[in-house]
Amino acid sequence: PEKNTALIKASVESSDIDGARILLSDMIEDEIFPDVVTYNTIIKGLCDRYRWFEAKSLVSEMESYGINPNTMTYSLLMNGLIKADKPAACLTLFEAANVDERTSSLTENVRLYTTAITAAAMVGDNERALGFIARMTQAGIKPNLKTFTALMNALIASGKTKLAVDVFNKMDEPDGFAITLAIRAHCDAGNFASAAALLTEQRDGYKAMSGRDIMTSYNYIILSSLQQEKFDAARNALVRHHFPLKVVLSRIDFTSHKTLESYCVLFALPHCSCLFSHPTKSELLQGGYIPSKETFKNILTGLDLLPPKGKMAQNAVKKDDRTDGFDFLLFVLDAIDARKIACNGYFYSAILLEGARLGGLRKKIASYLADARALTLGVSKRISVDECPVPEDEVLRITWEILLERYSEFKNDLGFKCLLPNLQVRVGKNEIRQVLASEQSVVYGSYRMRAARRFEI
């Protein structure tokens, strides 16, 4: 049987499941009776390919030959049902085996209980998941790391975030997935400082999380904080881990800083010693993570500004005229300009449409965004700055947030002594109409004309 089992295993690993079943039939015809290992090999191959009903019939066949399924058999079947998105059937199978005297001892296994907890979480029966933990304790079965993470998933889904964090704190060596769940639990509870602290530990040396897990967690913090209108938490998540120091320094109160050094800090100009002495410099620069497309999408989702497909976003009903969201988006644009990162057309359009909806000064700022995009596209056409009427060392490139806060002080110098930030936008074919419509809703003003005269575009 060992030789035939090896051949069957080779067939399964080469994706020839039907060939493996033929070999099994030949064994039986030749009166070479397979054992449970042989059947489990084929059952695993069937479950991996979502052929669960065939796997179940194979279990019935092995029982008809007097071969009893073992713990591995039930583990394969239950995991196969989870993969096939049939958690209810997985729970039914587990409970049926648990009450059957012939198989009840097989279910007293941490792996099967963990799979059952996962299935209970998938169907939303979180009380049942907690009940499985109690049954494990009564049976003297010690939960493992996967059991705890499955339980955390169930608790988070049911809104019991504090209990989920308590479960996490009981883990001796949590893996990356457990840490990701703990971050979600902290965010759902509004405890963003604790969520950020877990990520900082990952950056500072405890590398249980993969780079993808870390980015996913950053994105979740941003999404959750914006949905809860905790804008400072969202800013911290972006600045501390994505963007360099000058974006933070650009937020200094302009009215209380009039020295040349403060101007350098405010506008991120060169030859400024305080750029290298800020107490949070090392904290900010060690992150090195670049925001992904998912990051931009989460920002818009968190602010409820994701442009709807097939209709203009300004037609959507808004509950109020709060400006926090638009102001946060200007902060994001300052941050990505500092890293010379482009945003996509949908993100850019959403900002313009929100500015148009709010009206007033923010619509004016949105119009300058359209001007900045046009000028950034024309950078290659600019002549030498030596021919400009204003000396280069007297020109200040301001940030979007500073322009919003001090518009009355800078509006007459825009295009001459003060320049807007560059704004790089990647516009896909499916975004062209949205971008043009959003620009049409805000563009009015003369900055582009003044800047064109300065650079003779």
Side-chain angles (χ1 to χ4, degrees):
E2 291 81 4
K3 180 179 179 181
N4 290 279
T5 299
L7 291 173
I8 289 174
K9 182 178 181 180
S11 297
V12 170
E13 290 178 348
S14 62
S15 300
D16 186 10
I17 301 297
D18 294 329
R21 298 202 66 175
I22 292 174
L23 287 173
L24 179 63
S25 299
D26 291 342
M27 287 178 64
I28 296 172
E29 289 180 3
D30 295 339
E31 296 185 353
I32 303 174
F33 296 104
D35 55 15
V36 67
V37 176
T38 307
Y39 275 103
N40 284 347
T41 301
I42 301 178
I43 289 171
K44 182 180 185 301
L46 291 170
C47 290
D48 287 344
R49 289 157 183 80
Y50 305 101
R51 295 165 64 173
W52 186 82
F53 289 105
E54 294 180 55
K56 186 178 178 181
S57 65
L58 202 60
V59 173
S60 300
E61 177 184 312
M62 65 186 285
E63 289 179 326
S64 68
Y65 287 114
I67 303 172
N68 295 322
N70 59 12
T71 300
M72 179 58 69
T73 308
Y74 281 101
S75 178
L76 292 171
L77 290 173
M78 291 175 66
N79 282 311
L81 288 168
I82 293 292
K83 290 180 181 179
D85 197 23
K86 298 180 183 295
C90 177
L91 289 171
T92 301
L93 176 64
F94 177 76
E95 296 291 14
N98 188 258
V99 299
D100 192 329
E101 294 181 355
R102 297 171 299 173
T103 58
S104 59
S105 61
L106 299 178
T107 61
E108 295 181 359
N109 176 277
V110 64
R111 181 182 296 179
L112 297 188
Y113 266 106
T114 299
T115 306
I117 291 170
T118 301
M122 290 176 66
V123 299
D125 194 347
N126 302 305
E127 294 299 327
R128 193 174 187 179
L130 291 171
F132 285 138
I133 293 292
R135 286 164 59 178
M136 289 179 67
T137 303
Q138 291 176 356
I141 303 171
K142 185 178 179 180
N144 60 16
L145 182 60
K146 290 186 177 180
T147 310
F148 282 129
T149 53
L151 179 60
M152 286 180 66
N153 228 341
L155 291 170
I156 292 171
S158 62
K160 299 177 180 178
T161 54
K162 186 178 183 303
L163 286 176
V165 172
D166 290 341
V167 171
F168 174 76
N169 291 333
K170 292 178 181 179
M171 299 183 187
D172 295 328
E173 295 183 1
D175 60 5
F177 182 57
I179 298 172
T180 300
L181 290 177
I183 290 170
R184 282 182 53 193
H186 281 304
C187 288
D188 291 351
N191 191 356
F192 298 104
S194 297
L198 285 174
L199 282 175
T200 300
E201 290 177 5
Q202 293 297 302
R203 189 196 61 201
D204 290 344
Y206 184 69
K207 302 294 184 181
M209 299 176 72
S210 66
R212 183 174 182 178
D213 288 337
I214 292 175
M215 279 301 304
T216 299
S217 296
Y218 283 147
N219 289 338
Y220 192 84
I221 292 177
I222 293 168
L223 172 64
S224 182
S225 58
L226 291 177
Q227 288 176 332
Q228 298 178 42
E229 299 183 352
K230 301 293 180 62
F231 294 99
D232 286 341
R235 286 174 182 267
N236 290 336
L238 281 166
V239 173
R240 294 179 63 192
H241 304 290
H242 285 310
F243 302 115
L245 180 62
K246 62 181 180 180
V247 178
V248 181
L249 297 177
S250 69
R251 294 180 54 76
I252 292 179
D253 185 3
F254 187 82
T255 59
S256 61
H257 297 270
K258 293 296 184 182
T259 63
L260 177 61
E261 182 180 63
S262 295
Y263 270 91
C264 290
V265 175
L266 181 62
F267 298 111
L269 295 175
H271 312 299
C272 179
S273 60
C274 64
L275 277 173
F276 305 97
S277 60
H278 193 275
T280 58
K281 174 177 180 290
S282 61
E283 181 81 15
L284 297 171
L285 297 179
Q286 286 177 0
Y289 299 103
I290 296 176
S292 62
K293 183 185 295 184
E294 190 67 21
T295 306
F296 291 118
K297 182 179 179 181
N298 281 1
I299 291 171
L300 295 182
T301 302
L303 295 172
D304 194 23
L305 295 178
L306 195 65
K309 295 182 179 180
K311 62 175 71 175
M312 298 301 291
Q314 66 261 35
N315 295 331
V317 178
K318 295 288 180 179
K319 295 181 180 180
D320 54 51
D321 291 331
R322 290 189 58 174
T323 60
D324 310 66
F326 182 83
D327 297 354
F328 177 80
L329 292 171
L330 292 184
F331 158 77
V332 174
L333 290 180
D334 287 332
I336 63 176
D337 177 52
R339 287 291 294 271
K340 302 186 184 303
I341 297 172
C343 64
N344 57 47
Y346 280 126
F347 188 79
Y348 168 73
S349 298
I351 301 175
L352 298 191
L353 291 171
E354 179 65 1
R357 185 188 71 82
L358 292 171
L361 175 58
R362 283 164 178 79
K363 181 177 180 181
K364 188 70 175 178
I365 299 299
S367 74
Y368 286 123
L369 293 176
D371 289 334
R373 185 179 87 88
L375 290 170
T376 301
L377 290 174
V379 165
S380 61
K381 300 179 182 179
R382 296 181 181 180
I383 63 171
S384 172
V385 295
D386 294 335
E387 301 180 29
C388 298
V390 179
E392 181 69 14
D393 59 359
E394 296 181 14
V395 176
L396 301 176
R397 186 174 291 277
I398 63 177
T399 67
W400 294 112
E401 283 196 293
I402 293 300
L403 179 60
L404 175 64
E405 294 169 5
R406 303 296 170 191
Y407 176 71
S408 61
E409 299 178 29
F410 295 119
K411 64 178 181 179
N412 293 327
D413 290 329
L414 289 174
F416 292 108
K417 294 183 179 180
C418 296
L419 298 181
L420 298 177
N422 291 324
L423 181 55
Q424 302 179 56
V425 183
R426 295 189 308 270
V427 181
K429 292 182 179 179
N430 297 331
E431 301 171 336
I432 294 176
R433 181 177 296 180
Q434 182 82 28
V435 168
L436 294 177
S438 61
E439 289 182 335
Q440 189 66 32
S441 68
V442 298
V443 173
Y444 58 86
S446 57
Y447 171 84
R448 200 181 309 182
M449 296 172 58
R450 292 203 300 270
R453 286 199 302 273
R454 168 177 164 76
F455 291 106
E456 296 185 12
I457 295 178

